[in-house]
């Protein structure tokens, strides 16, 4: 076991434990905060695997923005917030889907790499420059499509959140 | 410790020290403080009056739209970091690529502005 192995296993265990708490806790805000732990530990895994930029993007976007967005959505729909006993949890389908997806991905990855060993010193760190070269040469079209996707999401969010869009303003 | 992981060892040690500081501070607090809980101490403080009625909260969808705008432009700015490191080497085509990306998202900002999402009070 190298340092990398130990760190990846420890962070993976933290991430998995936090993820289980996300789906088992009865308090939705705590589920959101456990999600921060799960995503943060995942960022740590990325960092150990030399994907530097990805790790910090994970912290910035997922921990910083997406979880905040989720907490706002929870505040909007379920405030005031406390223990929620009305959460429906279809346990069996959820276990089947989650376990199936996890096992399937694990099988695909294990089959792809078999027992090939890639040392930490042999890989180029996934820093901003390496990622930038990849994105702006080979993946330019998906990158541009992403901007359209983000635009569509923004327009959709505004259209849903503003009832007066498309009709005359009646109140206020 | 040197190499890639060694360069992050400082950060890891700092995180451990911060966690240990937190644990020590709270443990010391727990050991040293007096502890005499009562029902009156647990009630919500409301200017010395006994709180009346249930809890109440309001949230506006505008918070959500602002958070959504933040998430969107955080995604945009994240792509500026790798772009800033390579556009000098890869030439004008990369500048054009980023120009299109930012222009499409600027359309979204324009839409939000025109729909009056950006102003907090409806004028």
């Amino acid at each position: 076991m190298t340092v990398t192995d130990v760190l990846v296993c420890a962070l993976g265990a933290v991430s998995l434990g936090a993820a289980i708490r996300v789906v088992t806790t009865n308090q939705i805000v705590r589920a959101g905060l456990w999600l921060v732990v799960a995503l943060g530990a995942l960022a740590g895994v990325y960092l150990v695997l030399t994907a530097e930029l990805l790790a910090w993007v994970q912290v910035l976007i997922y921990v910083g923005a997406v979880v905040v967005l989720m907490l706002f959505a929870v505040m909007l729909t379920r405030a005031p917030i406390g223990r929620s006993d009305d959460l429906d949890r279809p346990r069996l389908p959820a276990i089947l889907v989650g376990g199936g997806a996890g096992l399937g991905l694990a099988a695909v990855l294990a089959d792809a790499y078999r027992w090939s060993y890639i040392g930490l010193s042999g890989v180029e760190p996934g820093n901003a420059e390496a990622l930038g070269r990849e994105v702006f040469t080979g993946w330019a079209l998906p990158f541009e499509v992403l901007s359209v996707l983000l635009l569509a999401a923004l327009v959709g969010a505004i259209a849903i959140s503003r009832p007066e869009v498309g009709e005359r303003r009646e109140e206020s | 410790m040197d190499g890639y992981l060694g360069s992050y060892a400082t950060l890891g040690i700092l995180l451990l020290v911060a966690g240990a500081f937190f644990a020590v501070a709270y443990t010391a607090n727990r050991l040293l403080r007096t502890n005499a809980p009562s029902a009156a101490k647990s009630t919500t403080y409301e200017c010395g009056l006994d709180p009346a009625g249930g809890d109440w909260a309001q949230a506006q969808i505008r918070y959500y739209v602002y958070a959504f705008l933040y998430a969107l432009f955080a995604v945009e700015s994240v792509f500026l970091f790798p772009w800033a490191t390579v556009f000098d080497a890869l030439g004008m085509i990369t500048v054009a690529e980023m120009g299109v990306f930012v222009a499409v998202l600027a359309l979204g900002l324009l839409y939000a502005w025109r729909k009056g999402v950006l102003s907090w009070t409806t004028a």
Side-chain angles (χ1 to χ4, degrees), chain A residues 11-124:
Chain A
L11 288 168
V14 170
S15 185
L16 185 66
I20 288 172
R21 288 297 293 152
V22 170
V23 290
T24 52
T25 181
N26 270 330
Q27 313 228 16
I28 298 184
V29 173
R30 289 190 190 173
L33 296 178
W34 278 114
L35 198 61
V36 169
V37 177
L39 294 171
L42 201 60
V45 173
Y46 292 154
L47 200 59
V48 171
L49 295 175
T50 75
E52 281 179 283
L53 183 72
L54 192 61
W56 297 119
V57 166
Q58 170 94 357
V59 171
L60 191 70
I61 301 292
Y62 279 91
V63 178
V66 171
V67 171
V68 170
L69 205 58
M70 286 181 178
L71 289 177
F72 273 130
V74 168
M75 277 168 53
L76 276 175
T77 52
R78 302 195 74 98
I81 286 157
R83 180 174 292 277
S84 313
D85 295 320
D86 57 336
L87 303 174
D88 58 333
R89 289 212 178 89
R91 285 178 193 275
L92 189 65
I95 288 171
L96 281 179
V97 170
L103 281 177
L105 277 174
V108 167
L109 279 176
D111 183 57
Y113 290 100
R114 299 293 166 104
W115 296 105
S116 63
Y117 179 80
I118 301 169
L120 197 60
S121 55
V123 294
E124 185 190 10

Side-chain angles (χ1 to χ4, degrees), chain B residues 16-66:
Chain B
L16 287 180
V17 168
F21 180 81
F22 176 82
V24 166
Y26 270 72
T27 310
N29 188 333
R30 187 173 285 267
L31 291 176
L32 293 175
R33 75 186 180 199
T34 55
N35 186 18
S38 70
K41 285 180 182 172
S42 306
T43 54
T44 308
Y45 179 76
E46 201 175 300
C47 302
L49 302 171
D50 284 337
D55 50 353
W56 175 84
Q58 81 167 9
Q60 281 197 350
I61 193 135
R62 287 178 193 168
Y63 293 112
Y64 184 81
V65 175
Y66 274 94

Side-chain angles (χ1 to χ4, degrees), chain A residues 47 50 52 136 144 147 151 161, chain B residues 4 8 65 68 82 97 101 108:
Chain A
L47 200 59
T50 75
E52 281 179 283
F136 292 103
E144 301 297 354
S147 68
L151 179 67
S161 68
Chain B
Y4 173 79
Y8 275 104
V65 175
F68 197 90
E97 279 168 15
F101 184 77

Side-chain angles (χ1 to χ4, degrees), chain B residues 106-122:
Chain B
L107 277 180
L109 195 61
L110 189 71
Y111 179 79
W113 178 57
R114 291 288 296 145
K115 289 296 176 192
V117 174
L118 300 180
S119 59
W120 189 255
T121 51
T122 48

Side-chain angles (χ1 to χ4, degrees), chain A residues 131-151, chain B residues 74-84 86 93-105:
Chain A
L131 206 76
R133 227 179 298 118
E134 284 293 316
V135 167
F136 292 103
T137 53
W139 301 91
L141 186 63
F143 173 68
E144 301 297 354
V145 171
L146 175 69
S147 68
V148 178
L149 175 73
L150 290 172
L151 179 67
Chain B
V75 171
E76 180 193 333
S77 61
V78 147
F79 278 101
L80 288 172
F81 291 112
W83 175 75
V86 297
I93 184 79
T94 313
V95 178
E97 279 168 15
M98 183 49 87
V100 172
F101 184 77
V102 172
V104 171
L105 285 178

